Amino acid sequence: MNKTMKYGLLLVLLVALPFIVNATPFLGPTWVRILGYAMLYVMLALGLNIVIGYAGLLDMGYIGFYAVGAYLYAVLSSPHLFENALASGPMDWPFWVVIPLCAIVAGIFGVLLGAPTLKLRGDYLAIVTLGFGEIIRIFMNNLDRPYNLTNGPQGINNINPLHIGTHSLKSTWTLFGLEFTPVINYYLVFLGIVIFVIFLSSRLENSRIGRAWMALREDEIAAEAMGLNKRNIKLLAFGMGATFGGVSGALFSSYQGFVSPESFVLMESIMILAMVVLGGMGSISGVVIGAVILSVMPELFRDVVNAIQPVLVNNITFISEDTLRNVLDASTLRMLVFGLAMVLVMRYRPEGLWPSARRRQELHDKDEEPFDSAHYVKETSHAKISADEPDNRDTTGEGR
Amino acid sequence: MEIFLQQILNGLVLGSVYALVALGYTMVYGIIGLINFAHGEVVMVGAMITISMLTMFSAMGIQLPGVVVLLMAMMISVPACMILAYFMEKVAYRPLRKAQKLAPLITAIGISIILQNLAMMIWGRGFKSFPSVIDVEPIDFMGATVTNLQIAIMIVAVLMMLGLWFLVERTKLGKAMRATAVNQEVAGLMGISINHIISMTFVIGAGLGAIAGVMRAANYGQADAYMGAILGLKAFSAAVLGGIGNIFGAMAGGILLGVIESLAAGYIGDLTGGFLGSHYQDIFAFIVLILVLVFRPSGLLGERVAERA
């Protein structure tokens, strides 16, 4: 079977998936909805992958751009602001106006927040971006006064669904004897956008810009010596990553019909980070699979835990009921698994579960290096250069 | 004027806690160049274990002065946190010491999530109130109010810092720590057991952090499983403000950040004409952090440049 056929088959399968799931007993529309959310996470993870995987900038406030996209869509398409400010009601914005608008605004935020962090690397960058993410959330939480822009902790309600042409995605229609319910409509639109995003990511990866990002990730000084403009390339990474976040934020907002600051907490940033890390930083297929696993698995988990919990609570008497309920809490267990996954992956398989070939090679090169003394002696000139800055650069990998 | 003095006093109390937590970050960073994201969680665990112990003691009907009961509880919680930090370093950080830079950072985040969620499993999601073993009495100080507990917090913090200064500057262990911070390999050649010193750094930092956690819980009268994350971030900001890797910097930065935050929260409403209220208190630590990193990355007292991979 050749490549085109394989991809074609996969596409057919993915398009058919929601209909199959919808018709399956025990799964039904709830699970189609979960698949839709999984698609959103795939978009987010691919966006973060640009920043972390390609450019090597550990951005911990990524959820902020998701929030920007979501709130922008919410404000534009709900009665909230229009009732306060304008006489007319909210508009049904055309798909190709509102989504790119959210993308551009989130991208601008990405560049703006990236700019002060240009000089920082690694751990400092992580903390500062984390701070930015929190600042965005705190503003969303408090911008109900003096002017009510975000409606504070209550969030914004009654957000209009996305429209394609005159069709609302939240209406059901029948085509070729198949019933297109709202969740299926959304899933299919998300799938289309995810395919576009994957295409964009892979083109970026192999483009001049993608190579520049990777060069910068591996060795900033060498990359600059090759004539790369560090500032512009980094800002571009932040901006591109944020764009993906903004798009999925807007889609999230229309999908859910409701946004509140609760959805944009630090833990969400960490969850997306876990997806990228688990799948393999810099590997598109890895990141996609990581995102799907980590967004679908907790739901499975929840079903199982919710089924088991009452049985255990009724039958185990030597632990108090409250304690047992705390231990068997689905979301706590889920985060625990995320934390464990991050630690274990970094310790035993730092390249991720489905790494890109380049990354794998690089990481395994490094493992062997310190024990290869003959090699070390041969490359003393490199060792000398990096001895001045032991923390900035490694002797290995990039020297050759 | 009373408000000003009151905010300064509140800031000093807040700052003492930040300073003690910041010491844990700065010591670890000074030696292995890692931001120990899980440090905030160790602080939280310290507070939670103390609360559990105090509750247990009162259930056992122990009739002793409040201070003694509190000390007994801390005799258990502080060593527990030290042991936790020891194993944390051994399991999650030591194997990755030679790995690429992002790896230990990501495990640190992972450990912090694990600890937070384990705490939720053990103690639940809600607030645990701090048993009132000590009678809190307000004391009038030039028009401002300060409690005996707050004074005790400040005194203990100062004593801890003096103790740490003595340890680092005047003992053999401190000398070994400083040597390791300067150059691990050469320190190793001089007969210093690097692994031991790094473990000790984590352990001492965790001990200080646990005490800070108890102080914070006692001051606010409550603690929860989430308190470590935000406290850790602020303390880290304090460490950067003072100059990361520098012990005196962490102390100064912590107290300064506490005062800035408290003053800013008290006056931001007036300054911005009511546009921003005291709800924004939590963002000042981040703003300070960002400003410091942009304009003076080495911090107030630090010599190192923050530009590290």
Side-chain angles (χ1 to χ4, degrees), chain A residues 41-42 45-46 48-49 52-54 270-295 337-338 341-346 349-360 363, chain B residues 100 106:
Chain A
Y41 277 117
V42 169
L46 282 171
L48 189 62
N49 183 42
I52 294 186
Y54 296 165
I270 289 176
M271 211 163 95
I272 303 165
L273 175 65
M275 290 168 181
V276 176
V277 168
L278 181 77
M281 290 181 275
S283 143
I284 293 175
S285 49
V287 168
V288 171
I289 295 170
V292 171
I293 290 181
L294 284 192
S295 54
V337 171
F338 282 2
M342 283 163 85
V343 173
L344 293 177
V345 166
M346 273 299 126
R349 213 180 145 85
E351 70 272 30
L353 298 181
W354 292 270
S356 63
R358 193 182 297 176
R359 195 92 183 174
R360 177 167 28 195
L363 281 162
Chain B
Q100 50 146 352
I106 290 168

Side-chain angles (χ1 to χ4, degrees), chain A residues 127 130-131 134 266, chain B residues 25 37 40 228-238 257 285-286 289:
Chain A
I127 294 270
L130 190 157
E134 283 293 287
L266 176 61
Chain B
Y25 281 105
F37 264 102
I230 193 85
L231 181 60
L233 276 175
K234 287 184 181 172
F236 175 77
S237 307
L257 185 72
F286 296 127
L289 175 71

Side-chain angles (χ1 to χ4, degrees), chain A residues 301-321:
Chain A
F301 216 63
R302 189 196 312 259
D303 281 2
V304 173
V305 169
N306 286 348
I308 294 176
Q309 199 192 35
V311 182
L312 286 182
V313 169
N314 289 334
N315 291 318
I316 297 179
T317 44
F318 55 89
I319 308 174
S320 79
E321 196 182 318

Side-chain angles (χ1 to χ4, degrees), chain B residues 108-192:
Chain B
I109 297 167
I111 293 279
S112 122
I113 302 174
I114 293 174
L115 287 179
Q116 200 180 69
N117 285 282
L118 281 179
M120 275 183 219
M121 286 185 171
I122 300 170
W123 290 288
R125 283 169 179 270
F127 284 108
K128 288 268 170 195
S129 60
F130 195 87
S132 47
V133 284
I134 294 174
D135 298 318
V136 179
E137 285 166 23
I139 297 165
D140 190 70
F141 178 76
M142 290 165 66
T145 331
V146 61
T147 63
N148 55 351
L149 180 71
Q150 288 175 325
I151 293 175
I153 287 175
M154 288 189 268
I155 292 173
V156 172
V158 171
L159 288 179
M160 284 291 149
M161 291 179 210
L162 286 177
L164 186 70
W165 171 81
F166 182 79
L167 179 85
V168 172
E169 297 291 327
R170 291 284 183 273
T171 64
K172 213 167 176 180
L173 175 65
K175 206 178 223 176
M177 283 163 77
R178 281 180 286 144
T180 312
V182 174
N183 190 326
Q184 281 189 27
E185 274 154 38
V186 178
L189 291 175
M190 298 297 127
I192 295 168

Side-chain angles (χ1 to χ4, degrees), chain A residues 67-138:
Chain A
V68 167
Y71 265 93
L72 184 63
Y73 184 90
V75 165
L76 287 177
S77 325
S78 77
H80 164 70
L81 191 64
F82 289 93
E83 269 171 15
N84 286 338
L86 308 165
S88 67
M91 279 175 65
D92 288 332
W93 296 78
F95 179 79
W96 52 87
V97 172
V98 71
I99 298 292
L101 185 70
C102 290
I104 290 166
V105 172
I108 291 170
F109 265 83
V111 172
L112 282 180
L113 297 189
T117 66
L118 283 175
K119 275 191 183 168
L120 311 171
R121 264 182 273 168
D123 29 24
Y124 279 90
L125 182 75
I127 294 270
V128 172
T129 48
L130 190 157
F132 280 138
E134 283 293 287
I135 288 175
I136 289 182
R137 190 182 59 82
I138 291 172

Side-chain angles (χ1 to χ4, degrees), chain A residues 58 119 121 123-124 127-128 130 132 138 142 145-146 267 270 326 329 331-333 335 347 391-392, chain B residues 29 35 91 103 105 109 113 116-117 121 124-125 233 236 244 275 279-280 283 289-290 293 307-309:
Chain A
L58 186 53
K119 275 191 183 168
R121 264 182 273 168
D123 29 24
Y124 279 90
I127 294 270
V128 172
L130 190 157
F132 280 138
I138 291 172
N142 290 300
R145 300 171 304 119
M267 274 301 148
I270 289 176
N326 284 336
D329 186 83
S331 65
T332 312
L333 281 172
M335 287 314 288
R347 207 177 142 174
D391 295 309
N392 272 349
Chain B
Y29 195 93
I35 296 177
V91 173
L105 203 57
I109 297 167
I113 302 174
Q116 200 180 69
N117 285 282
M121 286 185 171
R125 283 169 179 270
L233 276 175
F236 175 77
I244 194 136
F275 177 65
H279 302 282
Y280 288 92
I283 69 176
L289 175 71
I290 291 159
L293 284 177
E307 206 176 310
R308 305 171 50 131

